[in-house]
Amino acid sequence: MTATQPIAVVGTGTGVGKTVITAGLTRLLREAGHDARAIKPAQTGHPPDDDAAFVAAACADPEAASCPRYLEPALAPRVAAEVADESLSYETIRAACEREIDATAVPIVEGIGGLRVPLAGDHEVIDLVSDLEAAAVVVTRSGLGTLNHTALSIDALEARGIDVVGIVCNEYAGETVAERTNPAELERMTGYPVETVPPLADDATADPRQMAIGVGDELSPAFRELLPRESS
């Protein structure tokens, strides 16, 4: 049975880099000797999208990630199932995640889009994070506009009583005043630590392993210590 609180890697929206951060955290924890595995509750846009396969490749281990349900339309899961005329049960998704969590010492659940994305039935991604009693790592964009999106996401998590580990500003280049000032402003606004992960080198973008290593190298020791993990 899981020995620690699950980690939920959630985003302020689609395309903010949740999968790369999930891969980085999973590989980082596994290299530190923890039985960390990633869980993608549902994958839409498949093929070609397959976030669990990306994490598995990043960790060079097919057992490093799993996904219980795939849907072809590149839409929110509830909408994708409706368009594809397929059944999609929240209870089934939740039960599948709970089985994986129970079998993993340090489970990492990757979100789907943003927190309010319709998951199945009347349930949204944030409902699953809450029901799994996970602690959230919030992944956000680094540039102009991220203050509002991130603060609203934090408000939504706190309103549900969900623990927040911290915030990761992805693809941080510091090329604009907004980018350079956003991390400190987010810490002031939310009270949570903020990490920055720069854009990865062009020669690494096609290599999940190198991308995951790059993420791990950028996360501070202080942030790593905040991550839930099994007792030694």
Side-chain angles (χ1 to χ4, degrees):
M1 181 171 289
T2 181
T4 190
Q5 183 180 22
I7 300 167
V9 179
V10 300
T12 56
T14 299
V16 297
K18 293 184 300 297
T19 302
V20 173
I21 302 302
T22 298
L25 290 175
T26 305
R27 184 180 179 94
L28 180 69
L29 288 165
R30 288 167 69 90
E31 288 184 336
H34 302 283
D35 175 28
R37 279 182 274 177
I39 306 157
K40 183 77 174 185
Q43 176 72 63
T44 62
H46 175 80
D49 295 342
D50 193 338
D51 296 344
F54 182 95
V55 176
C59 297
D61 183 352
E63 301 298 319
S66 65
C67 178
R69 186 62 189 273
Y70 290 88
L71 294 159
E72 183 175 356
L75 302 165
R78 193 200 71 78
V79 182
E82 187 174 85
V83 169
D85 195 24
E86 296 185 32
S87 63
L88 185 66
S89 162
Y90 176 76
E91 289 72 22
T92 300
I93 291 174
R94 176 179 172 178
C97 289
E98 289 174 338
R99 285 193 298 272
E100 293 294 329
I101 287 170
D102 286 344
T104 305
V106 185
I108 303 174
V109 181
E110 182 188 344
I112 304 151
L115 291 167
R116 294 295 309 273
V117 164
L119 183 53
D122 293 328
H123 295 274
E124 300 173 345
V125 170
I126 194 170
D127 295 314
L128 184 64
V129 176
S130 177
D131 288 342
L132 297 178
E133 299 182 352
V137 172
V138 180
V139 182
T140 187
R141 293 181 175 87
S142 295
L144 189 66
T146 200
L147 298 180
N148 182 62
H149 295 159
T150 308
L152 288 174
S153 296
I154 294 291
D155 287 348
L157 291 165
E158 291 182 333
R160 297 292 295 271
I162 297 168
D163 295 335
V164 178
V165 175
I167 298 164
V168 177
C169 289
N170 193 34
E171 296 192 345
Y172 176 85
E175 294 178 347
T176 66
V177 174
E179 277 194 75
R180 293 192 294 273
T181 57
N182 279 341
E185 193 65 7
L186 283 174
E187 287 192 344
R188 184 194 68 80
M189 293 172 69
T190 68
Y192 295 106
V194 177
E195 296 285 298
T196 59
V197 172
L200 299 173
D202 289 342
D203 60 359
T205 56
D207 186 341
R209 177 179 172 275
Q210 290 301 320
M211 294 177 77
I213 291 172
V215 170
D217 287 345
E218 294 298 329
L219 297 177
S220 70
F223 187 84
R224 299 181 193 189
E225 288 301 314
L226 296 173
L227 297 170
R229 63 197 68 192
E230 75 271 35
S231 301
S232 57

